[in-house]
Amino acid sequence: MDKKKILIVEDEHKIARFLELELKYEGYEVDIANNGREGLEKGKESDVDLIILDLMLPGLSGIEVCRRLRQTSEVPVIMLTAKDDISDKVTGLDIGADDYMTKPFAVEELLARIRVLLKRKNINKEKEEAQILEIGKLKLCKNNYKVEYDNENIELTKKEFELLEFMMINKNIVLTREKILDKVWGYDYFGDTNIIDVYIRYLRSKIDQKYNVNLIETVRGVGYIIRD
């Protein structure tokens, strides 16, 4: 299992070192920045899984670091503040911090909050990945009805999209016309199953024939399959 990388942005060296030792003991990879500008640059790195960000920093404040990070990144951020001031906490949360803790704090609580945020991040990542289907150079994005082949956009009707999505979800499985009809057109459809053949031709003309590939195959006497 890959180690999760946590960035500590803290100008108080004793606190930064203490957190570093505790996090490494828990099995995390740790990096440290001692000012806001350095923290912002390191926070933009793609391998950072979570940031512990002090509010009061030289160079750039923690609030400004978080604000700028949120322009390009959704990395979880826990803000640390020495001020027990509601306005600071509200401001931090409003500009995108995921959680906050007031100094002094119990390290066990901080570790628990880190685990919660990392678990939430993994769940969100899995959900995001589930919205994207890929077979070779063919890519389908469920959330915006977008289909691409080799990064080139393919215009599909709603029903063409739904048919392709169903076949990609069930890749490498032979699908009968009846099953496709039930799942894509619905049980209330009373038309001929030949409608499936028509839409398969539409998809082939827009994908297989256009890009000279053979993704959608006919299994004679059974139905269709899209192979990975």
Side-chain angles (χ1 to χ4, degrees):
M1 185 176 179
D2 293 336
K3 282 187 176 182
K4 297 297 184 182
K5 183 175 179 180
I6 296 179
L7 172 64
I8 301 168
V9 187
E10 170 63 70
D11 63 321
E12 294 187 42
H13 294 278
K14 288 184 179 180
I15 295 178
R17 179 60 176 163
F18 168 73
L19 290 175
E20 178 186 20
L21 292 174
E22 290 289 340
L23 291 170
K24 284 185 174 179
Y25 180 78
E26 293 295 323
Y28 297 108
E29 182 181 345
V30 180
D31 195 7
I32 295 176
N34 296 123
N35 62 69
R37 294 193 182 279
E38 182 186 8
L40 178 60
E41 290 306 311
K42 289 187 174 183
K44 290 179 178 178
E45 295 175 5
S46 60
D47 62 342
V48 173
D49 293 291
L50 183 141
I51 299 174
I52 299 173
L53 178 63
D54 190 33
L55 183 69
M56 304 297 291
L57 292 167
L60 285 177
S61 70
I63 293 292
E64 187 59 28
V65 171
C66 188
R67 192 194 313 277
R68 295 190 189 187
L69 274 175
R70 281 295 174 258
Q71 294 174 2
T72 58
S73 173
E74 292 299 321
V75 62
V77 173
I78 298 177
M79 296 201 78
L80 303 181
T81 173
K83 299 178 180 179
D84 192 12
D85 189 330
I86 295 298
S87 64
D88 288 328
K89 297 172 183 177
V90 170
T91 301
L93 295 173
D94 279 347
I95 54 93
D98 297 272
D99 203 349
Y100 65 85
M101 295 195 69
T102 303
K103 299 176 185 176
F105 54 82
V107 70
E108 293 82 5
E109 183 180 356
L110 176 63
L111 293 171
R113 295 190 186 202
I114 289 171
R115 289 192 294 270
V116 167
L117 288 177
L118 289 177
K119 183 178 180 181
R120 185 187 304 166
K121 179 185 177 185
N122 287 338
I123 291 172
N124 290 339
K125 183 178 179 181
E126 289 171 3
K127 286 181 178 178
E128 183 178 330
E129 289 174 348
Q131 295 299 311
I132 298 175
L133 302 174
E134 292 185 85
I135 295 179
K137 296 180 179 180
L138 182 64
K139 181 177 179 180
L140 181 147
C141 301
K142 297 182 184 180
N143 57 351
N144 60 5
Y145 272 77
K146 188 174 183 180
V147 177
E148 296 177 345
Y149 189 90
D150 199 13
N151 296 319
E152 183 178 333
N153 189 54
I154 301 173
E155 295 292 338
L156 298 182
T157 65
K158 184 174 184 293
K159 194 57 67 178
E160 289 168 353
F161 182 94
E162 291 171 352
L163 173 57
L164 180 62
E165 178 186 1
F166 180 65
M167 295 188 73
M168 290 180 73
I169 289 173
N170 295 279
K171 63 184 179 181
N172 302 319
I173 298 173
V174 179
L175 301 169
T176 65
R177 290 173 177 82
E178 289 76 16
K179 186 169 185 177
I180 294 173
L181 200 64
D182 286 342
K183 297 298 182 180
V184 180
W185 271 262
Y187 291 100
D188 56 349
Y189 179 80
F190 295 104
D192 199 307
T193 57
N194 286 340
I195 190 71
I196 308 298
D197 303 323
V198 173
Y199 274 82
I200 289 291
R201 286 200 298 271
Y202 291 160
L203 287 179
R204 281 176 170 161
S205 68
K206 294 181 177 182
I207 301 172
D208 291 39
Q209 294 169 20
K210 182 175 181 180
Y211 298 101
N212 194 28
V213 292
N214 187 30
L215 289 174
I216 304 171
E217 298 179 19
T218 301
V219 180
R220 293 193 180 279
V222 184
Y224 297 99
I225 183 173
I226 187 165
R227 298 189 188 275
D228 192 353

